[in-house]
């Protein structure tokens, strides 16, 4: 669906295998591309108000954007094989990891939440989530009172609340709700003089990795007070959409990172997708989608990094 833009110059990217497979290392301020971004800046006073806004009561009463996914398996999509319950990997509740958390916001229709993760950048301040979590797409606008709670678990906030400084999505999402571009970045203000990467660590950004890869996915489903975790394989849906099967990914998991090469000791990996895209991530809890990560997400991260 989307129209891609030619890259003028690329730096800050290192090849990890032969061919066109690229992994972003995060330091890319000299990366020059056609800018397709749109952003919202948030002042310090407004950010302080957002932190105060998210009382324990509001955090507990927030609902997932778009409502919960269905639990019962639906019929296969066009061109898909049927999937039995026994064939689908099962997620499990766990204590969470520092680089992944719940992102809370008000989109003009109430208090909601999604999932977001810290992604490596020059600014050391960026989060990655689904675009539909922070911008309403065609006919909509940006969310307000946006705040991130790393490793949120049953109401616990071990790293505090981090207020948004800037929100950014692709213009083609903002104007057309293009599902192939359903990802966005959030820059957060420092806390106590420290940036979020310095406090919780980060995941790197991986692009052009194809499909059939093992990924670890963590998110915040509506039907649990705790985050969930799953290891599963990616598959091709369409040219710019990939999918994965795993139970338990109800509403609230939009924006959940798909982590390649996950290190169980450092609890970090390489983000190669987020729950989002087709059907804003999927209509059933056992199958989720992501836009395919290529140079467009890299370019958007570069633009966000420059303005963070």
């Amino acid at each position: 669906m989307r129209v891609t833009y030619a890259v003028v110059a690329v730096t800050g990217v290192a090849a990890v295998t032969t061919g066109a497979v690229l992994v972003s290392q995060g330091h890319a301020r000299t990366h020059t591309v056609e800018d397709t971004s749109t952003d919202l800046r948030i002042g310090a006073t407004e950010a302080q108000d957002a932190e105060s806004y998210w009382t324990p009561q509001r955090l507990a009463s927030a609902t997932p954007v778009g409502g919960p996914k269905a639990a019962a398996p639906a019929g296969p999509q066009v061109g898909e094989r049927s999937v039995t319950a026994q064939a689908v990997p099962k997620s499990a509740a766990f204590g969470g990891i520092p680089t992944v958390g719940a992102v809370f916001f008000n989109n003009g229709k109430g208090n909601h939440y999604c999932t977001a993760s810290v992604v490596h950048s020059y600014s050391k301040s960026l989060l990655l989530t689904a675009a539909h979590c922070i911008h309403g797409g065609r006919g909509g606008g940006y969310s307000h009172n946006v705040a991130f709670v790393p490793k949120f678990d049953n109401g616990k906030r071990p790293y505090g609340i981090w207020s948004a400084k800037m929100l950014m999505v692709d213009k083609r999402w903002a104007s057309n709700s293009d599902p192939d571009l359903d990802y966005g970045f959030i820059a957060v203000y420092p806390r106590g003089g420290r940036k979020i990467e310095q406090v919780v660590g980060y995941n790197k950004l991986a692009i052009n990795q194809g499909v059939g890869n093992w990924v670890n996915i963590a998110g915040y489903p509506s039907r649990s007070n705790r985050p969930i975790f799953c290891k599963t394989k990616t598959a091709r849906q369409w040219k710019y959409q990939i999918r994965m099967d795993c139970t338990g990914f109800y509403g609230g998991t939009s924006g959940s990172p798909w982590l390649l090469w996950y290190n169980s000791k450092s609890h970090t990996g390489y983000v190669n997708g987020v729950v989002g895209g087709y059907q804003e991530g999927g209509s059933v809890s056992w199958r989720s989608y992501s836009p395919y990560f290529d140079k467009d997400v890299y370019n958007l991260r570069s633009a966000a990094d420059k303005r963070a």
Side-chain angles (χ1 to χ4, degrees), residues 3 11 43-44 48 69 75 109 128 174 195 221 234 278 283-284 295:
V3 177
T11 61
Q48 290 175 355
K69 292 180 180 180
K109 299 178 181 179
L128 174 61
K195 296 183 177 182
T234 62
Y278 179 54
S283 63
V284 293
K295 64 180 178 351

Side-chain angles (χ1 to χ4, degrees), residues 147-160:
F148 178 61
V149 185
K151 204 181 179 182
F152 188 65
D153 180 16
N154 202 20
K156 297 176 182 177
R157 297 166 288 169
Y159 299 97

Side-chain angles (χ1 to χ4, degrees), residues 49-62 104 111 147 149 152 155 157 161:
D49 291 342
E51 182 175 351
S52 301
Y53 179 82
W54 289 109
T55 62
Q57 292 75 22
R58 286 195 174 114
L59 291 173
S61 62
F104 295 89
N111 295 327
V149 185
F152 188 65
R157 297 166 288 169
I161 297 177

Side-chain angles (χ1 to χ4, degrees), residues 42-45 47-48 51 122-127 146 148 150 159-166 186-200 307-308:
I42 300 163
T45 300
Q48 290 175 355
E51 182 175 351
Y122 184 91
S123 65
K124 297 181 173 60
S125 302
L126 293 185
L127 314 176
V146 179
F148 178 61
Y159 299 97
I161 297 177
W162 298 71
S163 298
K165 180 180 181 182
M166 181 201 67
I186 304 168
V188 293
Y189 278 98
R191 281 180 59 89
R194 302 180 71 194
K195 296 183 177 182
I196 194 160
E197 279 195 19
Q198 298 169 323
V199 175
V200 303
R307 295 179 230 171

Side-chain angles (χ1 to χ4, degrees), residues 95-121:
I97 55 177
T99 61
V100 179
V103 59
F104 295 89
F105 54 92
N106 188 296
N107 63 0
K109 299 178 181 179
N111 295 327
H112 300 289
Y113 69 91
C114 284
T115 302
S117 61
V118 182
V119 64
H120 192 35
S121 65

